[in-house]
Amino acid sequence: MYSILLLCGGLAGVTTVLFGFGGGFVVVPLLYTLLISVHGPDSGIGQAAMHIAVATSTALMVFAASLATWRHHRRRTVQWYLVRPLVGYIAMGAVLGAAAAVSLSGEWVRWVFVGYLGITIMDAVLRPGFLHQASGDIRPMGHLVTATTGTFIGAVAALLGVGGSVMTVPLMRRRGASMTAATAMANPLSLPMAVSGTATYVLLSASGTAFGAWYAGYVDLRALLVLAIGSWLGIRLASIWIGRIPDRIHARVYLLLLSLVLAVMVFVH
């Protein structure tokens, strides 16, 4: 199990630094599947598998998004003047999203995850503004739009444990950002969600779960450690490709990865 998690962490690191996913699109479906396979669907851990996968994925983002942000900052690909206004609103939304996830059943969280992925993919394919070559001139947002968008991003990302990439990348893409700039901004915007969301998952679930000594609420600490090591290796290996992937290919691979994760979550029970 842990060798698979190490490989999964490496893949999560690659997708974090190149696509801004924060690892959740890789970690959530795989960890969910592993927990069901190892413990059985009727065990206590099996019944809470989706909550554990989401909470552990959110905790991993604290590490992965921090390291990926530093890598992008060194390459000067982060547009900080667009990132800063969203940070506080995303953190507030993350508390709401994590609290909602704890109160919902794992099956509900799973199907919300599936539904949101499907909507995101269809929107990117059918609505103009994502797949075309961007101009690179990013249009800023007004204060009200920033507040509403940031809170929504934080809430949905923490609810699903996937980071803000699924919303921030299409958002920035349609405002004129290249894929490199959009994915670079997704990493620092995942950080406030990850910190607030992880704290909320641990505090709200610690008294109601009893999975063993290696759990902090719904966060699987052993899995988190192995995933973090793998993520560090993946980020180091993939950093050489920052800014080198052609824009059109970058956008299409982003959607392909979303489609693969959607298929896994639909057909794995």
Side-chain angles (χ1 to χ4, degrees):
M1 175 176 173
Y2 291 109
S3 59
I4 297 175
L5 285 175
L6 185 67
L7 180 62
C8 172
L11 185 57
V14 171
T15 59
T16 296
V17 76
L18 294 182
F19 300 96
F21 280 168
F25 288 111
V26 179
V27 172
V28 171
L30 182 64
L31 187 54
Y32 172 81
T33 304
L34 285 174
L35 290 168
I36 293 292
S37 301
V38 172
H39 299 281
D42 297 324
S43 66
I45 290 178
Q47 292 177 351
M50 192 62 187
H51 285 113
I52 294 171
V54 169
T56 305
S57 169
T58 304
L60 176 64
M61 280 178 232
V62 177
F63 171 80
S66 297
L67 185 54
T69 296
W70 173 244
R71 293 279 178 174
H72 276 285
H73 177 69
R74 290 180 63 184
R75 297 291 182 92
R76 301 182 184 276
T77 55
V78 182
Q79 306 284 342
W80 286 108
Y81 73 97
L82 293 171
V83 170
R84 292 188 187 97
L86 286 164
V87 170
Y89 296 112
I90 288 177
M92 290 189 293
V95 174
L96 300 175
V102 170
S103 65
L104 293 172
S105 70
E107 194 66 9
W108 269 101
V109 175
R110 174 172 171 252
W111 283 111
V112 169
F113 190 6
V114 168
Y116 196 86
L117 276 177
I119 292 171
T120 300
I121 293 167
M122 288 190 295
D123 179 71
V125 172
L126 299 177
R127 193 156 63 100
F130 185 87
L131 290 173
H132 75 287
Q133 176 72 45
S135 65
D137 297 324
I138 308 174
R139 300 183 300 277
M141 297 181 292
H143 180 74
L144 180 60
V145 175
T146 298
T148 304
T149 302
T151 303
F152 179 73
I153 289 172
V156 174
L159 174 66
L160 305 181
V162 296
S165 169
V166 70
M167 287 156 287
T168 56
V169 170
L171 172 68
M172 294 302 176
R173 184 74 170 157
R174 289 202 170 86
R175 301 195 75 81
S178 66
M179 280 299 295
T180 296
T183 54
M185 285 184 282
N187 284 301
L189 289 175
S190 291
L191 270 174
M193 182 284 299
V195 173
S196 297
T198 300
T200 304
Y201 275 120
V202 171
L203 293 174
L204 292 185
S205 60
S207 61
T209 59
F211 301 128
W214 284 95
Y215 280 84
Y218 283 119
V219 178
D220 184 334
L221 297 176
R222 282 180 293 195
L224 176 61
L225 177 61
V226 177
L227 287 166
I229 294 171
S231 182
W232 174 74
L233 293 172
I235 289 172
R236 282 184 62 88
L237 290 172
S239 293
I240 60 172
W241 291 100
I242 293 176
R244 297 184 178 182
I245 304 174
D247 192 81
R248 291 175 65 85
I249 294 175
H250 204 167
R252 282 161 173 75
V253 173
Y254 179 92
L255 291 181
L256 175 62
L257 290 174
L258 291 190
S259 301
L260 290 174
V261 175
L262 176 63
V264 170
M265 292 307 295
V266 168
F267 294 110
V268 174
H269 297 279

